[in-house]
Amino acid sequence: MRIYVILYIISKPSLFQNPHILVCMVLIQIEYKQVFFWALYIFKVYFYMKKTSTKDKIKIREKFLRIENLEDLSQLLNECNELIYRNSNYTINKKSLDYFIHPKTSKNRYKSFTVNKKSGGTRTIHAPVKRLKYILKSVNFLLQCISNSHPAANGFVNEKSVVTNAKKHVGKRYVYNIDLKDFFYSFDRNRVKMGLMYNLGLGKKNENLAFKIASLCTHPFEIDGEVKTVLPQGSPTSPTLTNILCKKLDRRLNGLANRFGATYTRYADDITFSSDHNIYQKPKNEQLNNNGCFDNFIAELSRIIKVEELQINPKKTRLQKNGYHQSVTGLSVNEKVNVHPRYIQQLKMWLYYWERYGYEKAEQIFRRDYKADKGHVKKADAKLMHVLDGKLEFLKMVKGAEGMTYKKLNARFSKLVSKSSPINKTLSVWEKEGIEKAMAFYQNETKVDKKTRYDKKNHELIISL
């Protein structure tokens, strides 16, 4: 009944003008996060964030082929913003583009930090500043509208994921994984410019514009003692641009796989081949044949990677045989796509701690274990409830909403969230005695005093603490 009340309120925009309803919605937002955000998501999608249609994408593609300067580009990016946000207040203009295009005038357009890798070592992330990030998100949307990645590419592609990447390799006798070294740094500004000119249709006549877009999407970094202007790892546009620039690589490697009776997929810099026969013998004094290719799979693979000006990371190359654990992009593929057994064990363990000791004690244990186990993540102070929620969503993506393991664990989680939340008592008072007493009851229970208002223009709840 409570969920229907929430959905009813959200389905009636006029009710948002009622301050009592607003306070109730804030209470729900604070304590009943899952239901509120699920319902609010439906509201936003229905009224403001309609899915970009094929017709919209065709229009964007046609306009992109007609742009000639930064003024045209800024207008097109603003049209993209309308499709992304529907009611954006921020306008991208030529002046902003001009400023961020030149790294000398905007030296601090990226913030760099390092995170620990799970496999050891560190990874440097370059995050764009807020204004540039907003522009790059629009550029990324534009790039996704005007380009198509190769079918073998699964990373950062709409309706594809680590699951679709792994499914292609289920039940194979041999699974061969390679990793491309310094992947994003392998694509410099000139390479991006050429891709925009010849892969996306800007052509020679718009070389200057292609250079400016490439300058917007790249940045000078010191790499191995040398300054190079390359794609930043952490920019919204970098993954999409690599998919565009790797289309020829994907085509060649897919052809190689077909030639040797194997299956090929790529998830960003993670490349996987699988087959039922062993084609992965190391080459011995191989010679090019009459077609300029090697007859050995590994030798030909290495040749193609080198021709495409990329490098294989030998430390992350491995051959996995059936009878042993086989994984692709972190998922098991021996018999079906599945998470590692340890993933489920960890979920069960943390849920048990919450059930047995209560939330506060469980979170203390969780933080200790999580920090030790996940030192490679940026937010080592993550909350137990949020991590469990995210892990369950990932499990749902892998196993499906009807998977019994997911359903059982999610039911336990939902029960714990419900028990720990004073909103249940508040809503009970509301149902029986009305919203005024419910508000008073909630304030007494939580000792929270919040002022709220509804921003009609932006359709947002403003909360003042």
Side-chain angles (χ1 to χ4, degrees):
M1 183 268 186
R2 295 167 187 170
I3 292 176
Y4 290 119
V5 170
I6 295 167
L7 289 175
Y8 175 76
I9 293 171
I10 289 177
S11 69
K12 302 288 185 180
S14 60
L15 292 180
F16 278 102
Q17 298 174 18
N18 187 323
H20 298 313
I21 294 295
L22 291 181
V23 172
C24 185
M25 294 297 286
V26 171
L27 302 186
I28 295 168
Q29 178 182 13
I30 297 166
E31 294 295 336
Y32 210 41
K33 177 177 71 70
Q34 284 183 302
V35 172
F36 176 82
F37 280 112
W38 176 64
L40 186 59
Y41 174 75
I42 294 173
F43 175 74
K44 279 188 171 183
V45 168
Y46 185 76
F47 288 101
Y48 305 109
M49 298 177 68
K50 295 177 183 177
K51 188 176 180 181
T52 306
S53 67
T54 304
K55 188 176 180 180
D56 289 330
K57 290 181 178 180
I58 291 172
K59 285 183 179 178
I60 290 172
R61 193 176 297 120
E62 290 174 347
K63 289 182 179 180
F64 176 77
L65 295 175
R66 293 198 298 266
I67 63 174
E68 296 179 353
N69 49 52
L70 286 183
E71 188 66 43
D72 294 342
L73 178 62
S74 65
Q75 291 177 11
L76 184 54
L77 291 177
N78 285 319
E79 289 184 35
C80 290
N81 283 341
E82 283 297 311
L83 294 172
I84 301 169
Y85 305 108
R86 298 295 172 184
N87 59 339
S88 172
N89 292 323
Y90 184 76
T91 301
I92 298 172
N93 53 43
K94 179 180 178 294
K95 186 177 179 180
S96 296
L97 293 178
D98 249 331
Y99 174 76
F100 284 114
I101 277 170
H102 302 289
K104 289 184 179 180
T105 59
S106 54
K107 293 180 181 179
N108 300 319
R109 58 182 187 168
Y110 282 90
K111 295 180 180 179
S112 301
F113 57 91
T114 59
V115 295
N116 296 326
K117 294 181 182 179
K118 190 174 183 179
S119 57
T122 60
R123 174 182 287 112
T124 303
I125 304 297
H126 307 287
V129 296
K130 188 174 181 180
R131 283 176 61 203
L132 177 58
K133 185 177 181 180
Y134 183 88
I135 293 171
L136 291 176
K137 280 185 175 181
S138 302
V139 175
N140 187 56
F141 180 84
L142 171 62
L143 291 172
Q144 290 181 338
C145 287
I146 63 178
S147 65
N148 292 305
S149 58
H150 191 277
N154 286 271
F156 310 99
V157 179
N158 289 334
E159 300 181 4
K160 289 189 177 183
S161 65
V162 291
V163 178
T164 60
N165 188 65
K167 276 183 178 179
K168 298 285 187 180
H169 307 286
V170 171
K172 298 296 180 70
R173 292 184 65 187
Y174 299 92
V175 176
Y176 185 69
N177 303 102
I178 67 169
D179 183 86
L180 298 176
K181 185 180 179 182
D182 298 332
F183 183 59
F184 291 108
Y185 297 159
S186 300
F187 301 92
D188 62 16
R189 179 169 57 189
N190 185 61
R191 197 166 177 180
V192 174
K193 182 193 78 171
M194 299 300 284
L196 292 167
M197 288 170 60
Y198 299 111
N199 292 19
L200 297 183
L202 282 179
K204 183 69 176 176
K205 66 174 183 177
N206 285 320
E207 182 176 1
N208 185 49
L209 179 61
F211 176 80
K212 289 181 177 180
I213 298 174
S215 298
L216 188 67
C217 298
T218 56
H219 192 76
F221 300 108
E222 185 175 328
I223 304 165
D224 299 328
E226 183 182 353
V227 177
K228 298 179 181 179
T229 303
V230 294
L231 290 178
Q233 184 166 341
S235 168
T237 53
S238 294
T240 303
L241 283 167
T242 55
N243 280 338
I244 294 168
L245 299 172
C246 282
K247 202 166 183 178
K248 188 176 179 181
L249 170 73
D250 290 330
R251 189 168 62 248
R252 285 181 165 182
L253 293 184
N254 192 60
L256 174 66
N258 291 337
R259 176 183 161 195
F260 284 87
T263 300
Y264 161 74
T265 63
R266 182 180 60 82
Y267 192 97
D269 58 350
D270 196 331
I271 287 174
T272 305
F273 293 91
S274 62
S275 60
D276 289 324
H277 50 288
N278 190 359
I279 58 175
Y280 311 101
Q281 297 89 357
K282 292 183 179 179
K284 295 180 180 179
N285 301 319
E286 294 292 326
Q287 300 293 322
L288 292 171
N289 59 28
N290 293 333
N291 296 320
C293 305
F294 288 109
D295 293 322
N296 176 275
F297 175 84
I298 298 296
E300 182 62 8
L301 171 62
S302 300
R303 186 190 71 83
I304 292 172
I305 298 292
K306 187 175 181 180
V307 168
E308 291 297 320
E309 299 179 37
L310 297 166
Q311 296 181 59
I312 296 174
N313 186 350
K315 294 180 181 179
K316 294 187 177 181
T317 298
R318 68 187 191 276
L319 176 62
Q320 304 171 92
K321 301 177 183 179
N322 64 339
Y324 298 90
H325 180 251
Q326 296 173 315
S327 67
V328 175
T329 46
L331 296 173
S332 299
V333 294
N334 290 73
E335 296 178 358
K336 62 180 180 180
V337 176
N338 205 349
V339 294
H340 195 279
R342 186 175 179 275
Y343 190 93
I344 302 296
Q345 291 166 7
Q346 199 173 54
L347 272 173
K348 289 180 177 179
M349 178 184 70
W350 287 339
L351 287 170
Y352 168 76
Y353 287 151
W354 191 351
E355 292 165 340
R356 180 73 174 82
Y357 302 112
Y359 185 78
E360 289 186 8
K361 180 65 175 177
E363 183 153 86
Q364 289 176 9
I365 300 171
F366 158 77
R367 284 188 178 182
R368 180 197 66 198
D369 295 347
Y370 191 74
K371 189 172 183 179
D373 185 48
K374 296 285 185 181
H376 66 287
V377 292
K378 184 180 177 183
K379 294 185 178 180
D381 61 340
K383 302 292 184 182
L384 171 61
M385 187 183 295
H386 297 162
V387 171
L388 284 173
D389 194 22
K391 282 181 169 290
L392 284 166
E393 282 300 311
F394 182 76
L395 185 64
K396 179 182 176 182
M397 180 179 74
V398 176
K399 286 183 169 288
E402 297 303 315
M404 288 306 299
T405 304
Y406 164 74
K407 289 176 75 173
K408 288 178 181 179
L409 293 175
N410 191 56
R412 288 170 64 184
F413 175 70
S414 299
K415 187 177 179 180
L416 287 165
V417 171
S418 178
K419 279 185 177 180
S420 66
S421 173
I423 195 65
N424 282 330
K425 297 177 183 178
T426 305
L427 289 176
S428 294
V429 173
W430 179 22
E431 291 170 13
K432 295 175 182 177
E433 304 179 46
I435 193 169
E436 296 282 357
K437 290 190 176 180
M439 290 165 59
F441 174 81
Y442 185 85
Q443 287 180 354
N444 289 333
E445 282 285 299
T446 60
K447 306 298 182 184
V448 174
D449 183 23
K450 291 181 170 62
K451 297 179 181 179
T452 66
R453 64 182 177 84
Y454 181 62
D455 186 340
K456 296 180 183 179
K457 183 177 180 181
N458 298 314
H459 306 282
E460 293 177 343
L461 287 173
I462 308 300
I463 306 172
S464 302
L465 300 179

